[in-house]
Each structure stands twice: as structure tokens, then as C-alpha cells.
């Protein structure tokens, strides 16, 4: 299959390797780019906290940008969504990284269970977040009265590719499938000129989404072609191919 990957460039390259190993042809069309705030991360770490929570591998990659600032925090427990985030946190040097199978709500439930077993933390959990992000993680912790502090360390800025890049990825020829990892990226994709000017050309293209929330960014006209992964992780997404 000919598959378009819409992730940010660094992550897209890793996904492309996986797809090629599975025998697919890959085209990269990155529709977002991370903007890191290293100083926000340093300042966040300087304030007392009981544990760290992350819901994106992008935050975990930031750990490698703060140098020795991280050293005295490596014994802090990290609660992480997804294998990629957990692996990146482990590679940064954190000794204890706990991760559930699932999404932000599942991570919140893990933390809630941890607090029931070991008691409420004396200091808030530090949630190192991005913008935009899904609200489920923070909402669930608030429901249960778990103390936490959210600090935004990066934002995903929309990236509008040149028309020549877009047409090369989408029209030569039209792909069999497109992979979507975020709702915002899906929205950006359907605002690209080929999708606005000739949407009928894509009525045989599978729109593969990592979660129901991501799928909400796909217009209704493509609903019959939209498929959602069983679990919100890349392994389940690629299983759809």
C-alpha cells in the first residue's frame, strides 16, 4: 500500500521505517512541527513535586535538552502514556517509568490507583504537557481530587507544506491510506488544496486514526473511509493497514 504519514518530521521518519519493513510505500507529509520551551521545563522541575506525568513522547525528548538540570530528578517516578513516551523517559535516565495501555484517561486512572494504594502525595504531580492536548487526563485527576500542576513545555504548530510538496505526496498517485495521530493534524490535512479542490479523488483513500478523538477531525463526507485503531498507540494504528 502507498501510505501518507502526517506526523512531525522526526517521528515520521521512524514510522516510515516501520512501514517499509512491512512492505508498504511511504510518503512523508508533516503537518505539524514542535516548538519547545526548555526554560519552562527547567522552571517546572525546580518547583517541588511528588511525581512527573507525561502524555507525549515530545515532552520526553525535551528531557535531553536540559542537561544536568535533570540529574537530581532521575529517581522521581514518571507516569507516562504510551511505549514511545516511556521508552524516551527511560533513555533520559529515569529509573521508574510506569505506563498503562491506553490514553490519558487510562494514565489518570493508573495514578488514582497508585494514590489509593500508597496515599495522596504530599506534593502535586507535575504534568509536563503540550498544546494542544486532550482534556481527559486533567479532568479525571480533578474528579478524584488528585493534586497536580500543569506546565506547558511545547506546542505543536501547524505546518502548511508547499503546494508542490502536497501534490507530490497526495496526487502522484493518490495514496491508499493516510495515517492521523492528532485531531489538529487531521483538520489541517483536509484544508490542503487537493482536498478542497478535488475531494472526490480521495473517496477510496482510507483515513486511519489513532483514536476516536482524532477521527473527529475527519469531515463527515469521508466517514465511510475512516477507521479507528483498537488502542490509541502506533502499533494498533499500523495494524489497520
Amino acid at each position: 500500500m502507498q501510505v501518507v504519514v502526517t506526523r512531525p518530521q522526526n517521528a515520521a521518519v521512524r514510522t516510515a521505517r516501520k512501514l517499509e519493513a512491512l512492505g508498504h510505500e511511504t510518503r512523508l507529509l508533516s503537518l505539524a512541527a514542535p516548538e519547545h520551551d526548555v526554560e519552562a521545563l527547567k522552571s517546572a522541575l525546580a518547583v517541588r513535586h511528588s511525581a512527573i506525568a507525561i502524555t507525549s513522547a515530545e515532552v520526553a525528548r525535551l528531557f535531553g535538552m536540559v542537561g544536568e538540570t535533570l540529574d537530581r530528578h532521575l529517581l522521581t517516578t514518571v507516569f507516562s502514556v504510551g511505549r514511545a513516551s516511556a521508552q524516551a523517559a527511560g533513555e533520559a535516565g529515569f529509573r521508574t517509568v510506569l505506563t498503562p495501555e491506553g490514553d490519558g484517561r487510562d494514565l489518570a486512572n493508573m495514578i488514582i490507583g497508585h494514590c489509593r494504594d500508597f496515599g495522596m502525595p504530599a506534593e502535586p504531580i507535575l504534568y509536563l504537557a503540550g498544546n494542544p492536548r486532550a482534556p481527559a487526563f486533567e479532568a479525571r485527576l480533578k474528579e478524584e481530587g488528585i493534586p497536580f500542576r500543569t506546565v506547558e513545555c511545547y506546542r505543536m504548530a501547524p505546518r502548511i507544506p508547499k503546494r508542490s510538496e502536497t501534490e507530490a505526496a497526495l496526487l502522484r498517485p493518490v495514496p491508499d491510506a493516510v495515517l492521523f495521530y492528532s485531531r489538529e493534524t487531521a483538520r489541517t490535512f483536509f484544508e490542503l488544496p487537493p482536498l478542497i479542490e478535488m475531494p472526490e479523488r480521495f473517496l477510496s483513500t482510507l483515513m486511519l486514526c489513532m483514536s476516536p478523538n482524532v477521527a473527529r477531525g475527519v469531515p463527515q463526507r469521508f466517514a465511510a473511509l475512516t477507521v479507528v485503531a483498537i488502542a490509541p498507540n502506533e502499533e494498533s494504528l499500523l495494524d489497520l493497514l
Side-chain angles (χ1 to χ4, degrees), residues 26-183:
T26 307
R27 305 177 208 167
L28 306 187
L29 187 66
S30 296
L31 298 179
E35 296 178 350
H36 299 126
D37 190 340
V38 176
E39 292 307 313
L41 176 56
K42 288 181 177 180
S43 297
L45 291 172
V47 178
R48 291 176 63 87
H49 51 275
S50 60
I52 294 171
I54 59 175
T55 53
S56 167
E58 200 61 51
V59 169
R61 293 185 194 106
L62 262 168
F63 290 141
M65 302 179 188
V66 296
E68 295 180 357
T69 300
L70 197 65
D71 290 350
R72 67 188 183 90
H73 300 282
L74 296 179
L75 295 180
T76 303
T77 297
V78 175
F79 295 98
S80 170
V81 164
R83 296 176 189 172
S85 300
Q87 181 178 347
E91 290 173 351
F94 285 96
R95 308 292 195 271
T96 304
V97 182
L98 306 178
T99 181
E101 292 293 331
D103 56 14
R105 186 175 182 83
D106 295 309
L107 182 65
N109 287 333
M110 170 182 273
I111 292 172
I112 291 164
H114 192 273
C115 291
R116 286 172 181 164
D117 291 340
F118 300 100
M120 283 288 187
E123 305 290 346
I125 294 167
L126 173 59
Y127 175 33
L128 299 174
N131 183 13
R133 62 184 177 274
F137 175 74
E138 291 160 286
R140 184 75 182 100
L141 290 184
K142 285 179 181 177
E143 285 176 6
E144 295 295 323
I146 306 296
F148 70 96
R149 183 168 62 94
T150 300
V151 176
E152 292 185 357
C153 298
Y154 78 96
R155 69 180 294 267
M156 276 296 179
R159 174 183 177 269
I160 307 302
K162 294 180 180 178
R163 188 175 185 113
S164 58
E165 181 185 353
T166 301
E167 292 181 352
L170 299 181
L171 299 177
R172 301 174 190 169
V174 172
D176 300 301
V178 182
L179 303 182
F180 296 111
Y181 292 74
S182 77
R183 185 173 178 176

Side-chain angles (χ1 to χ4, degrees), residues 9-26:
Q9 185 67 24
N10 289 341
V13 169
R14 292 192 296 274
T15 299
R17 293 194 193 105
K18 296 179 184 179
L19 289 168
E20 288 160 7
L22 295 171
H24 301 293
E25 295 183 23
T26 307

Side-chain angles (χ1 to χ4, degrees), residues 3 46 104 155 158 186 202:
V3 184
R155 69 180 294 267
F202 300 91

